[in-house]
Amino acid sequence: MGEAAVSRTRRPARRVGTALSAALLATALASCTALVPGSPVASGTPGPPPTASAPPTPSGPPPESPRLVPGPPRLSAADAPGLVGRLAATTGPDLAVAVRWAVLPGASALGDRLDERVEQLARDFAAAHGAGWVPAVDVLPGGDIGPCRGASLGTTAGAVLTIDCGIVTAAGPLLGERLTVIRREPGAAASVAREVWYADAATGTVHDGPALYEPGREPRVLGLVAEALRATGRIGIEDPWAGVDPAAARGLLVDSAVTPTGIVVTLPLAGSVVPVSVLVPTRLLQPFLSEAGRSATATAAADEPFAAPAAPAGGDPVDCSFVACVSITFDDGPTGLTPGLLDVLDRTRAPATFFVQGSSVQRNPDTAARIVDSGHEIANHTWGHPDLTKLKDDAAVRREVDRTQAAIREATGVTSRSIRPPYGASDRRVRALVALPFIVWDVDTNDWRDPGADVIVQRAVAESRRGSIVLMHDTHEQTIEAVPSVIAGLRARGFTLATVSAQFGGALPASGLVSHGPR
């Protein structure tokens, strides 16, 4: 599939991979260990951490010849810190789809490629069963608890698609991620397909598993795999892949996992219920590797800790037409409590929208600048917090807004693109005077009454729907205390946090009253 440069903007979903998609269907298995009764996929209960059951990553002295290994490698979350987990789901009367994948922080070519890939698979599956894509929550038990972590769909009537992810390589700037695609149709055995994607965070390149090999040399790689299978009696003297055309050969190598000592190739084998995995030493593969393959194996052999690229905590791209989004918003700051709130948002990589008072920005310009530098959205909440509908002088209304716009611009270098009227109060006259969209809310935590952190959490989490805008204030200690649990609770339901603008694809309505995102 070649390589792609780093992208700084989210592109519309497009078709990704033709030969790969065809090969995946051609190599789909009739069953898989993931569907054994009692497993996470079959039961819908959280499985053990990856390190508890996953085969170890081959390391130590390199093997002299290809050898059979227990299965493909799967690293723990600790081996790839800093990744951003993603979760998308939809349901219908006879349909359930759940997709879990992970991306690098910030905008990246890997994020673009995986977003496009999983969205294509999910939307196509839904369309094939007569359903449109409507993002849903409360589908997977536990929701999003971290990158490539959490429960899978349990036994569900009707057609089911699950896409799960696992990290196979994490060394220096190199990341390798496996997608496992499981399709179940009523009355038929499940089909399973896998593919591995690689990204070099240093160069911004991204490619799939087959791109590790020089085009035309794939049969030689399959020959090395056959050598290990022959040595263990899994096949006879005849090569099961002799005469395979190049496109099919590349399709057989979609699940190629780079390790410090070689590449683990996992592929279906006739007569085997589960796929087989063979570790082929890098030394033997060298003549058959592409430039990308040589770079990946060299980086893995160096065995340096994985280093995710730095990116603002609130700046991760999100497509709210595919995932179920919710916005947490904070009014009346910035205050002395806001830096602590920003610390929480940094730790959890949770974007937020801050509706700031101009007078507070004037007192705390560095905090206002930090809001923007952290990737969050900053917006207008007037200068002195008056009820704009009670200001009979039109010039007074404009002055409240204009002074705040100027203060935000001076402190942060950006121009606010929206306003939240104090108390949510506006009328046609006020909205006609201010050429900005008026953003209110549909979930009010009433945190300003100091009801207790637990009450704030319950209201924010339980009352949210797809597209909700949650009202809180960074002027109350109970709110700051509640925010970590609010974030965790929303993600546990399957929500993705987004700024208010991100809910509208970055383009807010030009004017008018807005109480929630698209639904």
Side-chain angles (χ1 to χ4, degrees), residues 134-156:
V134 179
V137 296
D138 303 323
V139 176
L140 286 179
D144 177 16
I145 62 172
C148 300
R149 297 174 59 204
S152 296
L153 281 171
T155 301
T156 304

Side-chain angles (χ1 to χ4, degrees), residues 246-270:
R250 290 184 79 77
L252 288 167
L253 296 171
V254 290
D255 193 350
S256 291
V258 175
T259 76
T261 59
I263 297 179
V264 175
V265 177
T266 301
L267 73 178
L269 182 66

Side-chain angles (χ1 to χ4, degrees), residues 193-420:
R194 300 173 179 83
E195 54 191 85
V196 178
W197 293 88
Y198 291 92
D200 186 323
T203 64
T205 57
V206 59
H207 59 81
D208 60 5
L212 294 167
Y213 312 106
E214 194 69 32
R217 310 309 295 273
E218 299 88 356
R220 302 296 297 274
V221 177
L222 291 173
L224 292 171
V225 173
E227 181 181 323
L229 298 177
R230 193 174 294 112
T232 55
R234 301 297 297 271
I235 63 173
I237 194 168
E238 291 188 0
D239 186 339
W241 302 294
V244 170
D245 65 73
R250 290 184 79 77
L252 288 167
L253 296 171
V254 290
D255 193 350
S256 291
V258 175
T259 76
T261 59
I263 297 179
V264 175
V265 177
T266 301
L267 73 178
L269 182 66
S272 177
V273 175
V274 297
V276 294
S277 297
V278 171
L279 171 62
V280 184
T282 302
R283 176 182 60 84
L284 299 180
L285 285 171
Q286 280 294 347
F288 316 128
L289 294 177
S290 64
E291 181 179 348
R294 290 189 294 272
S295 175
T297 52
T299 300
D303 208 18
E304 295 291 333
F306 173 71
D316 298 326
V318 59
D319 179 358
C320 294
S321 72
F322 184 55
V323 300
C325 288
V326 64
S327 296
I328 54 174
T329 68
F330 300 93
D331 285 10
D332 298 347
T335 70
L337 296 175
T338 308
L341 171 60
L342 290 169
D343 289 342
V344 172
L345 300 177
D346 283 347
R347 287 196 303 271
T348 56
R349 293 200 70 82
T353 301
F354 289 80
F355 291 93
V356 297
Q357 291 181 228
S359 56
S360 297
V361 171
Q362 188 178 64
R363 290 191 299 269
N364 302 282
D366 291 344
T367 303
R370 183 182 168 190
I371 289 172
V372 173
D373 292 343
S374 297
H376 305 295
E377 184 173 14
I378 195 166
N380 196 311
H381 196 44
T382 73
W383 184 267
H385 208 270
D387 182 336
L388 296 177
T389 65
K390 294 181 179 180
L391 296 180
K392 301 308 179 184
D393 183 355
D394 290 353
V397 173
R398 293 192 182 99
R399 188 162 52 249
E400 281 285 333
V401 176
D402 293 345
R403 290 183 71 191
T404 303
Q405 290 291 83
I408 292 172
R409 192 180 305 111
E410 181 177 351
T412 69
V414 303
T415 299
S416 167
R417 298 186 295 161
S418 64
I419 182 173
R420 171 167 287 168

